[in-house]
Amino acid sequence: MHGYGPTPQQQTTSLPSPATLTTVRVILVTVTVLSCGLLGWVAMLRLAIVTRRPRDWVLLVVVMVLNAALFAFIMGTPDDPDDMSDASVLLMLLWIVALLAGVITYYLYVEIRHYSSLRSLGSPPPYTAPAHPAPLPYQQHPAQQQQQHQHQHQQQQHQQPQPNPYTVQTPPPTPTPAPQRLDQVRAELDELSDYLRKENREGEGR
């Protein structure tokens, strides 16, 4: 198991540095030119080993056959250049030039393209910052918690509507007596007045 951070990647095959490749190419091209194409098979052998393609191995065999034929042709010419015919000289020059141009051009083009594709495929992806876990909630001190509660309580008090001291409070309306009570009082007064009249009459009769 791996913690936070980029996961380890598989190591790709290390490629030679550009300076090393340039040095090798210069040496092989120089050897091919100085040997008049007779050692062109050396560059083709390196190319076949690097690419490992059947076509390059076939071309290596073709170049080796052409080099052997050119060497045999040169050995078959007379030692004195003046004794050579113009056709033989022209044929040998064309043979050497074609072999030099073909080997050098094909070798440089295929090898440069091969290593460029390897670098593009084996280049590591861009680095991305690891995802950090979410921070834990901050634990406040008890004094800070108490201050926070007081502050919230004050805000709630400010939000509640306060009574206006300048407003006059009206007294609640007095309940009106029911009509039945008035009738009862009136009936009692009538009875009392009848009773007094009766008493007065009885007193006068005596």
Side-chain angles (χ1 to χ4, degrees):
M1 295 180 66
H2 301 284
Y4 295 100
T7 56
Q9 299 178 353
Q10 297 180 355
Q11 295 182 354
T12 57
T13 305
S14 59
L15 299 177
S17 63
T20 303
L21 292 176
T22 303
T23 303
V24 173
R25 290 165 189 165
V26 170
I27 292 174
L28 292 178
V29 171
T30 303
V31 169
T32 303
V33 172
L34 293 179
S35 64
C36 295
L38 295 175
L39 295 179
W41 60 272
V42 178
M44 296 302 297
L45 177 61
R46 167 174 168 76
L47 184 61
I49 293 173
V50 168
T51 59
R52 299 179 181 179
R53 292 188 301 182
R55 182 179 65 181
D56 294 333
W57 288 104
V58 172
L59 291 177
L60 171 62
V61 175
V62 172
V63 171
M64 291 179 68
V65 172
L66 292 175
N67 286 338
L70 178 61
F71 180 75
F73 179 80
I74 293 174
M75 294 301 295
T77 57
D79 296 336
D80 190 0
D82 296 334
D83 297 337
M84 294 179 62
S85 62
D86 295 337
S88 298
V89 174
L90 182 61
L91 178 61
M92 185 175 63
L93 290 177
L94 291 177
W95 199 332
I96 293 174
V97 171
L99 191 60
L100 287 174
V103 170
I104 293 173
T105 303
Y106 183 79
Y107 164 70
L108 292 177
Y109 172 75
V110 175
E111 188 180 76
I112 292 173
R113 184 178 179 182
H114 174 72
Y115 280 108
S116 298
S117 62
L118 288 181
R119 283 194 176 88
S120 62
L121 293 176
S123 59
Y127 174 76
T128 56
H132 296 286
L136 297 175
Y138 176 72
Q139 297 182 355
Q140 296 181 350
H141 194 268
Q144 294 179 353
Q145 293 181 356
Q146 186 177 1
Q147 292 179 358
Q148 185 176 3
H149 289 310
Q150 292 179 356
H151 182 67
Q152 293 178 356
H153 182 66
Q154 292 178 358
Q155 288 182 349
Q156 292 177 358
Q157 290 182 350
H158 286 301
Q159 291 176 358
Q160 294 178 356
Q162 298 293 334
N164 190 357
Y166 298 100
T167 57
V168 179
Q169 296 182 356
T170 57
T174 56
T176 57
Q180 296 179 357
R181 182 66 178 173
L182 290 176
D183 295 340
Q184 185 178 1
V185 172
R186 191 174 299 168
E188 290 178 355
L189 291 175
D190 292 340
E191 290 178 358
L192 181 60
S193 60
D194 293 340
Y195 177 75
L196 293 175
R197 287 174 188 163
K198 188 182 293 185
E199 288 291 332
N200 290 330
R201 288 175 183 175
E202 291 179 356
E204 289 178 354
R206 289 176 185 178

